[in-house]
Amino acid sequence: MSSLTERPTHAPPRTYSRWASLVVLCAGTLMTILDGNIVTVAMPAIQSDLGYSGPGLAWVVNAYLIPFGGLLLLAGRLGDLMGRKRMFAAGLAVFTAASVLCGVATSQGALIAARALQGVGGAMTSAVVLGMLVALFPQPREQARAIAVFSAVGAAGGALGTFLGGALTQALGWHWIFLINLPIGVAAWLAALRVLAPDRGEGLGRGADYPGAALVTGALMLTVYVIVGSGDRDLTATLLLAALALTLFVAFTLRQARAARPLLRLRLFSSRLLTGANAVQILMIATMYGFQFIGTLYLQRVLGYGELATGTAFLPAPVAIGVLMLGLSARTIGRYGAYRVLLTGLAFIVAGMALLSRAPVDGSYFTDVLPPLLLLATGFAAAMPALTGLAMSGAHEEDAGLASGLFNTTQVVGGSLGLAVLSTLAASRTDGLLAGGADSVTATAEGYQLAFQVAAVIAVGALVLAAAVLRTRQGSKLP
């Protein structure tokens, strides 16, 4: 299959314009990624201020994830049809306005509604970014550098969000974790209008399959809902909802196979690289997102860290990720190939999760947390750019927005799945030990140990799958 990187249909913009465009894309992505993580540390303050119950508080996160995960694929395809710049700029505007509504919310319902609108804007912005990036940088070496920069911003932003969430909440209050998006969003929107090159897209008439859009959006939203809410309902209800989501996916597939102008060209999934990379990403992100959430709880509930101390404890991760991705990632991929770099990165992630699985009750940050944290950061810094390059190399240029939306969708599914599975296992283990008479801190620590052990097994699965399906015909080089 011809790759996107081999078939540019027009000359790229001048060098400085391309790198300025990359800065704008990174700024928009950073804002949405920060928001996805910054809320975690502020949850107790939000609960105290607005009076959420335990299950109700989860909807501060779920209300964002469901529309975000459900609309990524549709937004990516619409970006291909109506223009990716338009979709990106419109997403920034919606996300920024919704952030202000979150910041001024004074009731539970107002905050949840605003968070859902944020999810819509986040999907619009995130879905088209990778498609725009690979079009801007069609040459393999430059594309590897650009993907490394983009991945570094995204990965570092995720960890940085934990620190900023603690700092802003403790210093100014939880409202400011949302209001901080106003100046960033306005600046990014104005820069996007000025810097990003216009693109006309294929036209909505080339693929505006509205019944198909309704089916896939409903299926994805229901899938995310089933995953994130699995701990709040019984098994029968979960299985029934999962069966309904599967039915919607089947109906969508049948619709796309027969539609004259399908929303999603099913040929996209014939690419072994694209399909395999997305499958690997689900497992890798499940591991990393589960670590971030469970790791935060371990520091707070077992080691007794406060909000700011917890955020500070995670700071070495974004520093390491930024240094490695910007300084070594592109050159390493260029020398050894994305396949080998990906496997090495996944091996580091396995090692880091294995070390965390022994996190003790009386643990020390410098001996029990920092070493595995650095291993995970190193592994992610190597694996993510390599995986992104492999995935996007399997997409035709006209499908780049859709491929970008798909790649972001599997990130959401992987993160939601990892969070649901690992937190449920940890809670079940803790409850069992408490029922047997164990003290609270010991029971909690052993619950987290089980979660880390399962995360290590998931990481092994990602490594095995990547080794089996992502080797290219050239051995280790991108096609």
Side-chain angles (χ1 to χ4, degrees):
M1 174 182 292
S2 296
S3 73
L4 179 63
T5 58
E6 290 176 324
R7 302 185 302 100
T9 59
H10 53 79
R14 288 175 292 180
T15 300
Y16 74 88
S17 298
R18 289 187 294 151
W19 290 101
S21 297
L22 177 62
V23 171
V24 173
L25 295 178
C26 287
T29 299
L30 178 63
M31 185 171 64
T32 58
I33 290 176
L34 279 174
D35 188 83
N37 292 274
I38 205 170
V39 176
T40 304
V41 181
M43 295 283 270
I46 294 173
Q47 183 177 24
S48 175
D49 190 19
L50 297 184
Y52 281 102
S53 64
L57 184 64
W59 281 98
V60 176
V61 175
N62 296 349
Y64 178 86
L65 285 177
I66 291 171
F68 182 80
L71 291 171
L72 278 167
L73 200 59
L74 175 60
R77 183 56 182 154
L78 289 178
D80 288 335
L81 298 175
M82 62 183 289
R84 295 167 199 154
K85 176 181 177 178
R86 290 180 183 177
M87 182 62 69
F88 181 80
L92 284 177
V94 171
F95 187 90
T96 303
S99 296
V100 175
L101 293 177
C102 288
V104 300
T106 57
S107 68
Q108 296 180 17
L111 180 58
I112 288 175
R115 286 286 285 164
L117 186 60
Q118 264 193 317
V120 174
M124 296 168 65
T125 301
S126 301
V128 295
V129 169
L130 284 176
M132 298 174 76
L133 187 151
V134 296
L136 283 167
F137 300 92
Q139 299 303 317
R141 186 174 295 275
E142 282 194 333
Q143 188 178 112
R145 289 175 58 197
I147 287 177
V149 172
F150 176 77
S151 299
V153 169
L160 188 61
T162 306
F163 171 76
L164 289 177
L168 288 172
T169 301
Q170 189 163 311
L172 300 174
W174 67 265
H175 297 276
W176 285 94
I177 68 174
F178 300 111
L179 294 176
I180 194 68
N181 288 332
L182 178 59
I184 300 173
V186 170
W189 181 76
L190 291 173
L193 295 180
R194 181 177 180 83
V195 173
L196 297 180
D199 59 321
R200 298 179 60 183
E202 301 175 43
L204 287 175
R206 293 286 302 277
D209 176 21
Y210 298 109
L215 286 170
V216 72
T217 301
L220 286 169
M221 284 189 174
L222 187 56
T223 298
V224 178
Y225 173 71
V226 168
I227 293 172
V228 299
S230 59
D232 300 327
R233 67 178 79 92
D234 59 49
L235 180 60
T236 301
T238 297
L239 291 176
L240 287 174
L241 289 171
L244 178 57
L246 180 60
T247 301
L248 291 176
F249 274 121
V250 171
F252 170 72
T253 302
L254 294 175
R255 167 77 187 179
Q256 298 311 287
R258 299 174 181 177
R261 293 175 176 173
L263 178 76
L264 170 60
R265 298 180 180 97
L266 296 181
R267 73 179 187 202
L268 191 71
F269 297 100
S270 66
S271 167
R272 175 176 52 85
L273 289 178
L274 180 64
T275 303
N278 277 279
V280 170
Q281 179 175 234
I282 289 176
L283 298 178
M284 184 179 77
I285 296 299
T287 300
M288 296 300 297
Y289 199 90
F291 150 72
Q292 187 170 345
F293 183 78
I294 301 296
T296 298
L297 295 178
Y298 172 74
L299 289 173
Q300 291 181 332
R301 296 181 178 177
V302 177
L303 300 188
Y305 282 32
E307 294 166 344
L308 183 57
T310 299
T312 304
F314 276 92
L315 271 182
V319 172
I321 289 171
V323 169
L324 291 171
M325 280 189 176
L326 297 178
L328 297 175
S329 179
R331 281 182 288 178
T332 304
I333 291 173
R335 181 172 181 179
Y336 298 104
Y339 175 75
R340 291 174 181 170
V341 174
L342 172 61
L343 295 188
T344 302
L346 289 173
F348 272 96
I349 291 174
V350 171
M353 292 309 306
L355 280 180
L356 270 176
S357 66
R358 54 167 298 279
V361 176
D362 56 349
S364 163
Y365 173 75
F366 289 101
T367 59
D368 299 303
V369 178
L370 185 58
L373 180 68
L374 293 177
L375 281 172
L376 290 167
T378 301
F380 193 77
M384 194 62 193
L387 191 62
T388 303
L390 285 165
M392 295 306 293
S393 71
H396 290 280
E397 185 171 358
E398 63 269 22
D399 294 326
L402 182 60
S404 174
L406 177 64
F407 197 69
N408 282 285
T409 299
T410 56
Q411 285 188 10
V412 176
V413 171
S416 302
L417 186 62
L419 178 58
V421 170
L422 297 179
S423 60
T424 299
L425 288 173
S428 177
R429 174 66 171 164
T430 297
D431 291 344
L433 291 171
L434 289 173
D439 67 90
S440 176
V441 176
T442 300
T444 300
E446 292 197 24
Y448 296 155
Q449 287 174 6
L450 175 62
F452 290 139
Q453 290 165 8
V454 174
V457 173
I458 296 173
V460 170
L463 176 59
V464 172
L465 182 62
V469 303
L470 293 182
R471 179 182 288 275
T472 64
R473 286 173 296 182
Q474 288 84 353
S476 61
K477 302 294 184 181
L478 285 175

